[in-house]
């Protein structure tokens, strides 16, 4: 369903409740999922099979799907233990592979100034796409990318929602708004059920026949807005308190693990950074995960390595297969964090260090 009106923020999106001054998302274009926000942005920017994309190998499948649907050639770069790439290698790859679009992720809320410097070096040559799903609360999140998007659910307590931003979509003269506007609640529900049915069918095909089926999935013509419930929640969150609590719990984890040899993936968040969790590399990750699950404790494993990514990106695989994220969200207190620590000690002892073979 393509609107005949020029690309603009539709009436559905303008319903976002932004009465509280501290709500940082009041003017963002909001979708039911972060992946939809990305796909909308890519189509709005005119990205197609002629564009070569450079993508981090430490990722999940979801942000890859829109590129696969658009049949873009994708190349992957490795991520080091400090969660940064080798920028010299990146520059070489961009030149050799004729890369037109560079994608990066603000892992665990971290904002690295190197990306901004890297973008200045390649200004006008490469389009930069910034995934802010982990960094929605960090100070400089979304300030570098030409295309910016996020899934709210990675960090904030909402049942759905993502946003799209950046000059590549805000100034695009080519794309028509294809957002479902002014639909009844029943019509939106029917559309939602159809989307999830399609996703289920396609994922069943993918599981049995490999990733090529993603390329067979049609590019979306309609995009659902974020739900009214999520918009209301976003408008009522006390963001300053949310940031303060997360930083406090990050600090508590550092204190609790001071006597535990372990490999933290964030030594110091740095000014303005609000972490999405306390990520660590840990020995016997699956043993820890399953042991905690039997006790009713579910630690977050951010990403398994998608099958589409080859095995050359060794360090990204190591991180994906041996990391867990210890929680710092609003629903856990210091007592909960202590219980998690003791439960892990009971499973693997007091030395948690991951040692490479």
């Amino acid at each position: 369903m393509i609107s005949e009106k020029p690309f603009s923020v539709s009436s559905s999106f303008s319903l976002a409740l932004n009465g509280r001054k501290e709500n940082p998302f009041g003017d963002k274009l909001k979708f039911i999922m972060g992946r939809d926000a990305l796909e909308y942005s890519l189509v709005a920017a005119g990205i197609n099979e002629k564009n070569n994309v450079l993508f981090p190998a430490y990722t999940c499948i979801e942000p890859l799907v829109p590129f696969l649907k658009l049949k873009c050639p994708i190349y992957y770069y490795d991520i080091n233990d400090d969660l940064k790439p080798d920028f010299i290698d990146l520059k070489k790859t961009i030149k050799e592979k004729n890369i037109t679009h560079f994608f990066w992720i603000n892992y665990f809320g971290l904002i690295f100034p190197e990306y901004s410097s890297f973008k200045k070096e390649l200004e006008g040559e490469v389009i930069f796409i910034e995934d802010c799903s982990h960094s929605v609360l960090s100070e400089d999140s979304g300030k570098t990318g030409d295309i910016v998007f996020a899934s709210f659910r990675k960090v904030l307590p909402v049942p759905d929602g993502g946003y799209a931003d950046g000059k590549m979509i805000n100034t695009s003269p080519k794309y028509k708004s294809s957002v479902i506007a002014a639909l009844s609640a029943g019509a939106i529900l029917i559309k939602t059920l159809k989307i999830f049915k399609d996703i289920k069918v396609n994922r069943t095909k993918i599981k049995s026949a490999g990733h090529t089926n993603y390329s067979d999935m049609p590019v979306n013509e309609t995009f659902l807005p974020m739900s009214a419930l999520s918009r209301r929640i976003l408008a009522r969150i006390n963001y300053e308190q949310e940031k303060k609590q997360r930083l406090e719990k990050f600090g508590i984890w550092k204190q609790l693990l001071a006597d535990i040899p372990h490999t933290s993936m964030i030594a110091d968040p740095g000014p303005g950074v609000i972490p999405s969790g306390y990520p660590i590399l840990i020995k016997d990750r699956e043993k820890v995960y399953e042991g905690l699950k039997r006790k009713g404790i579910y630690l977050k494993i951010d990403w398994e390595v998608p099958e589409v990514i080859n095995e050359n990106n060794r360090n990204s695989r190591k991180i994906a297969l041996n990391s867990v994220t210890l929680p710092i969200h609003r629903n856990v207190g210091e007592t909960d964090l202590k219980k998690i620590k003791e439960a892990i000690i009971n499973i693997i002892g007091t030395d948690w260090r991951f040692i490479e073979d």
Side-chain angles (χ1 to χ4, degrees), residues 161-217:
Y163 79 81
D165 201 5
K167 66 180 183 182
M168 288 298 297
I169 64 165
N170 291 338
T171 61
S172 172
K174 301 176 182 178
Y175 195 50
K176 306 289 186 180
S177 175
S178 60
V179 178
I180 296 178
L183 283 184
S184 67
I188 288 179
L189 176 60
I190 291 169
K191 176 67 180 175
T192 304
L193 291 173
K194 183 180 184 302
I195 285 174
F196 282 104
K197 180 183 177 184
D198 291 344
I199 289 171
K200 185 176 180 181
V201 169
N202 279 294
R203 283 188 173 164
T204 302
K205 286 183 184 177
I206 290 157
K207 193 171 182 181
S208 62
H211 76 271
T212 53
N213 282 284
Y214 280 117
S215 301
D216 297 333
M217 293 171 68

Side-chain angles (χ1 to χ4, degrees), residues 302-355:
D302 282 274
W303 301 307
E304 302 291 355
V305 182
E307 290 182 11
V308 296
I309 297 177
N310 61 45
E311 296 185 4
N312 296 333
N313 301 288
R314 186 171 181 272
N315 213 68
S316 296
R317 283 186 172 275
K318 180 192 76 176
I319 295 172
L321 297 173
N322 298 284
S323 63
V324 294
T325 304
L326 301 174
I328 60 172
H329 55 76
R330 62 169 63 195
N331 293 329
V332 292
E334 185 170 356
T335 300
D336 300 310
L337 306 190
K338 288 177 178 177
K339 286 179 180 178
I340 293 171
K341 174 188 173 181
E342 291 306 313
I344 296 176
I345 288 174
N346 289 336
I347 297 168
I348 59 170
T350 56
D351 187 344
W352 298 2
R353 285 174 295 182
F354 167 75
I355 307 296

Side-chain angles (χ1 to χ4, degrees), residues 9-261:
V9 177
S10 76
S11 57
S12 292
F13 287 113
S14 66
L15 292 175
L17 304 176
N18 56 4
R20 294 177 67 106
K21 287 184 179 179
E22 65 269 29
N23 178 3
F25 310 113
D27 61 346
K28 300 287 192 291
L29 192 60
K30 301 181 184 71
F31 296 79
I32 196 167
M33 294 190 296
R35 194 179 87 182
D36 278 5
L38 173 60
E39 186 171 331
Y40 186 89
S41 301
L42 299 183
V43 178
I47 295 175
N48 57 43
E49 70 277 2
K50 296 178 181 178
N51 297 119
N52 293 343
V53 180
L54 189 56
F55 211 94
Y58 180 41
T59 183
C60 65
I61 193 65
E62 295 301 327
L64 277 168
V65 171
F67 294 98
L68 294 169
K69 289 169 70 174
L70 289 164
K71 298 177 173 56
C72 298
I74 304 173
Y75 301 88
Y76 300 97
Y77 62 90
D78 211 2
I79 295 295
N80 298 320
D81 286 352
D82 60 1
L83 297 171
K84 300 177 188 179
D86 183 321
F87 287 94
I88 295 174
D89 280 354
L90 285 184
K91 200 166 184 179
K92 182 180 177 184
T93 303
I94 286 171
K95 185 176 181 180
E96 289 179 352
K97 303 298 184 183
N98 193 26
I99 298 298
T100 59
H101 293 76
F102 173 75
F103 187 105
W104 86 98
I105 299 168
N106 294 328
Y107 295 113
F108 307 109
L110 296 172
I111 307 294
F112 294 125
E114 289 91 333
Y115 286 110
S116 179
S117 302
F118 190 54
K119 182 173 184 287
K120 288 175 183 176
E121 286 184 51
L122 299 169
E123 199 76 56
E125 299 176 32
V126 177
I127 301 301
F128 278 64
I129 304 171
E130 182 177 359
D131 183 346
C132 298
S133 298
H134 283 188
S135 63
V136 291
L137 295 176
S138 293
E139 192 172 295
D140 290 326
S141 179
K143 291 187 177 179
T144 300
D146 300 302
I147 293 173
V148 176
F149 81 100
S151 169
F152 289 125
R153 294 185 299 126
K154 297 287 192 298
V155 173
L156 298 174
V158 291
D160 64 82
Y163 79 81
D165 201 5
K167 66 180 183 182
M168 288 298 297
I169 64 165
N170 291 338
T171 61
S172 172
K174 301 176 182 178
Y175 195 50
K176 306 289 186 180
S177 175
S178 60
V179 178
I180 296 178
L183 283 184
S184 67
I188 288 179
L189 176 60
I190 291 169
K191 176 67 180 175
T192 304
L193 291 173
K194 183 180 184 302
I195 285 174
F196 282 104
K197 180 183 177 184
D198 291 344
I199 289 171
K200 185 176 180 181
V201 169
N202 279 294
R203 283 188 173 164
T204 302
K205 286 183 184 177
I206 290 157
K207 193 171 182 181
S208 62
H211 76 271
T212 53
N213 282 284
Y214 280 117
S215 301
D216 297 333
M217 293 171 68
V219 176
N220 284 353
E221 291 183 346
T222 55
F223 297 85
L224 287 173
M226 187 170 69
S227 70
L229 173 60
S230 289
R231 291 197 298 271
R232 291 190 184 100
I233 293 171
L234 283 185
R236 285 160 175 75
I237 291 173
N238 185 323
Y239 289 94
E240 291 309 309
Q241 184 178 351
E242 189 78 21
K243 294 175 185 179
K244 181 181 176 184
Q245 288 180 353
R246 284 180 172 272
L247 288 173
E248 286 175 352
K249 289 168 188 175
F250 188 93
I252 291 170
W253 270 123
K254 288 189 75 169
Q255 293 173 2
L256 287 176
L257 300 185
D259 61 341
I260 300 288

